[in-house]
Amino acid sequence: MNLFRPYCIQLLFWIIVWFFTGALRAEDGYQLWLRYNKISQPKLLSHYREHITEIVIQESSQTFQAVQEELRKGLSGLLGKEIPVVSSVSQDGAIVVGTLEQSSVVRKLVGASELESVGAESYIIRSLCWNNRMVTVIAANQPKGVLYGAFHFLRLIQTQQPLDKLSIQQKPQIQKRLLNHWDNLDGSVERGYAGKSIWKWENLPGKVDTRYKDYARANASIGINGTVLNNVNSQAEILTKDYIEKAAAIANVLRPYGIQVYFSIKFTSPMEIGGLTTADPLNMSVCQWWKEKAREIYQDIPDFGGFLVKAYSEGQPGPQIYGRSHADGANMLAEALKPYGGTVMWRSFVYDISIDKDRAKCAYLEFVPLDGKFASSVFVQTKNGPIDFQPREPFNPLFGAMPKTPLMMEFQITQEYTGQSKHLVYLAPQWKEVLDSDTYANGPGTLVAEVVDGTADKHTISGIAGVSGIGTDRNWTGHHFSQANWYAFGRLAWDPSLSSEQIAEEWIRMTWSNDPQVINPIQKMMAGSWEACVDYMTPMGLHHLMAEGHHYGPQPDYVHPGRNDWSSTYYHKADANGIGFDRSEKGSNAVSQYHQPLRQIWNSPKTCPEKYLLWFHHLPWDYPLASGITLWDRLNMHYQKGVNYVTLMQKEWDSLQGKIDPGRFEDVENRLEMQHENAGEWRDTCLKYFGRFAETQEQCEP
Ligand code: GCV
């Protein structure tokens, strides 16, 4: 017996250790921000247990099943006990969930007039006293609104907000909030850095991956309501009967979560899979083919969203082959989708440099003359900047230049040009910079966000798209912190006025911890991570210095054998006289595509903000900046500053050892080490290359 005793004590010791470090057991990131771990502070836990005792639901649609499932899962996890689902209020702490139309309890609690004005996806969450009972109501006009409300309610608990005096009313600012997958039908993902495509086309429609539901939950939790399943570099096969059936199986999983599916289509599909000899949008047989195709799709997918089109760009065919315009092509597709309410998203990512030698000007020159010529269900989907998702670009001048056309914003969540899945770069500040930019289109204060949400030009439709960074990696996005970009995209799509700090804090609390000792260092890391990336890659308005093809590392000396505008040297134009692309009136005059006073401010290197200086100006190496420092010295400072920030992020992260589960801690630690090494490579390669010119130049005239 005595011999046995030390073993018992040892066992007890390990049980205690296991119990207290339980929260730090390895996590793999699969649950994203929907972790629902039990609240550990006793006071807080009893507050929530007091305010949540039962879930009152009277509806049973598929969406309501999703609502019920999520609330049960979330609340039982967070509160550490099962919360019963009932059909009427029986005690204090009832959470009443429902629509005005279907739920008699909701009707008793909420006035019809309150919900009437808010629209289909909106919701209210309110604390009430009813029949001497303390209740919380989550109400909406449509089940989808209730679903969004339920996720909001869970978020309040996940981020440890009090529940006693709730008075929340939410309405999305932008109607169509879409992910764009650049997923190919063979399972590869263009510019994907998190494994293969999650769409298992080879197994569909028979076998439906369980992951689709978690994908739907995650997206619904941040308000995303549509997904384009396949790459804009499209294959005609997506429109065959087989693939429509496969997509229908995905749509069935996403539907209860309020997510519509869309296809990227190839303009020459009528020829490739339809046996026609032309794809001319004005040809009757072609129009008929698309009408038939739309009918076929809607038979299988009644809530199908519509088509996304990359036309006449980077090898993709378009109506121009037949001497027709973007509007001719888009309108023909819109006509085919019209009976079903489908949408066309026609991309403006075109750069035919026979139109203008400056690639940044091309889309504007092609699209602005077409303003007013698109059918009412057509969006022109436009990247945030005029080149191509560079670490930093001024906003695309099309925003503010096509008042008669709804412009759909296209951001890139996948980090093609911002370190892929190796670098920690929180992109919300980049997107905020663009959304908050003043276009001056209708005088001062016409923000890009207002062009996108339709208020600037009184459009009845509005949309925003994010190129997805999702793949089959267990944590969905490769880098654990790339999840933050997915999260932030959804939150900003819902409400572009949210701050990037606020979004980061929500995400950190839900994804990592509510402990301020964890929140603060991570906030700090994320806050400056984008600016740091700009600094060590392309500071002061430089752009497209990335290696050819994969776009990861630096290659400032790259010269494309056939296309000047695919060469790094085309963008930086470094030589003995200086560096930068002259887009002022004296150069390509791209500044003229912006409204006054931006045109004037950006036209002069004296008034142009430093962040855009070399985007708009070619300047001598010893050009004196306002601070008195020369351009070359300042460039050196930026590159070093970027690398220093990665060192700081490493330090902050190291301070979290023991406070973060070991699995995710080590993964991020390793990636930060890689980032540090690669940031140094960016600095050294670029400064060495530019130094060849800068340090041999003749001094500029005083
Ligand atoms: C899907 C860039 C990317 C391409 C992408 C293209 C686009 O050029 O490098 O991979 O193609 O943008 O947005 O169409």
Side-chain angles (χ1 to χ4, degrees), residues 94-111:
I95 309 298
V96 178
V97 185
T99 61
L100 204 55
E101 200 183 353
Q102 300 290 326
S103 166
S104 58
V105 194
V106 167
R107 272 200 301 280
K108 281 179 196 143
L109 294 174
V110 182

Side-chain angles (χ1 to χ4, degrees), residues 182 190-191 231-233 310 313-314 316 347 349 351 359 383 387-389 410 412 416-417 467 544 549 551 566:
W182 285 357
E190 183 157 348
R191 310 304 177 189
N231 192 355
V232 287
N233 290 329
K310 173 174 177 177
S313 168
E314 298 186 334
Q316 287 295 303
R347 293 175 93 222
F349 179 65
Y351 52 102
R359 170 174 168 179
K383 289 190 182 183
I387 297 286
D388 186 14
F389 298 138
E410 181 176 316
Q412 193 177 44
E416 174 181 0
Y417 293 103
V467 179
H544 228 306
H551 294 164
W566 285 352

Side-chain angles (χ1 to χ4, degrees), residues 454-473:
T455 52
D457 303 302
K458 303 195 171 41
H459 288 300
T460 51
I461 56 172
S462 58
I464 185 166
V467 179
S468 150
I470 296 164
T472 50
D473 276 7

Side-chain angles (χ1 to χ4, degrees), residues 376-619:
S376 59
S377 58
V378 175
F379 285 99
V380 169
Q381 182 169 313
T382 297
K383 289 190 182 183
N384 56 273
I387 297 286
D388 186 14
F389 298 138
Q390 293 304 292
R392 170 178 266 140
E393 300 189 31
F395 71 86
N396 195 318
L398 280 172
F399 294 107
M402 296 187 67
K404 297 184 186 129
T405 313
L407 295 190
M408 192 160 193
M409 171 63 79
E410 181 176 316
F411 285 131
Q412 193 177 44
I413 307 172
T414 192
Q415 292 171 235
E416 174 181 0
Y417 293 103
T418 51
Q420 301 174 6
S421 57
K422 295 190 179 127
H423 295 204
L424 189 166
V425 182
Y426 175 50
L427 290 170
Q430 183 200 55
W431 302 334
K432 281 296 286 181
E433 183 170 285
V434 174
L435 291 166
D436 292 347
S437 293
D438 195 346
T439 66
Y440 292 91
N442 307 334
T446 320
L447 305 188
V448 170
E450 291 163 333
V451 175
V452 175
D453 73 17
T455 52
D457 303 302
K458 303 195 171 41
H459 288 300
T460 51
I461 56 172
S462 58
I464 185 166
V467 179
S468 150
I470 296 164
T472 50
D473 276 7
R474 185 70 192 156
N475 72 1
W476 302 85
T477 54
H479 201 307
H480 286 288
F481 276 80
S482 300
Q483 296 179 356
N485 293 330
W486 177 7
Y487 182 83
F489 170 75
R491 297 290 287 128
L492 281 176
W494 182 275
D495 182 359
S497 75
L498 292 174
S499 75
S500 56
E501 293 80 12
Q502 186 181 343
I503 296 171
E505 184 175 338
E506 277 177 11
W507 177 78
I508 297 167
R509 285 176 177 273
M510 293 192 284
T511 309
W512 300 100
S513 168
N514 276 291
D515 175 356
Q517 288 187 19
V518 174
I519 299 171
N520 296 337
I522 298 186
Q523 271 276 21
K524 203 157 149 194
M525 290 167 69
M526 290 170 76
S529 60
W530 166 58
E531 196 68 55
C533 171
V534 173
D535 273 336
Y536 64 69
M537 286 187 181
T538 51
M540 301 180 77
L542 287 173
H543 47 293
H544 228 306
L545 309 181
M546 291 77 192
E548 192 256 337
H550 57 71
H551 294 164
Y552 179 70
Q555 201 176 2
D557 60 351
Y558 178 66
V559 179
H560 189 274
R563 279 195 68 160
N564 197 15
D565 61 323
W566 285 352
S567 309
S568 300
T569 51
Y570 165 90
Y571 294 99
H572 61 67
K573 302 202 187 303
D575 58 18
N577 298 319
I579 180 170
F581 199 126
D582 187 356
R583 295 191 168 106
S584 72
E585 280 167 6
K586 289 187 268 132
S588 79
N589 202 18
V591 284
S592 67
Q593 296 185 339
Y594 292 93
H595 293 277
Q596 291 290 24
L598 287 182
R599 187 183 297 181
Q600 193 186 338
I601 296 169
W602 291 352
N603 189 48
S604 161
K606 294 260 174 295
T607 48
C608 182
E610 189 178 298
K611 62 185 178 185
Y612 301 143
L613 198 57
L614 302 177
W615 184 281
F616 288 112
H617 299 280
H618 187 81
L619 298 169

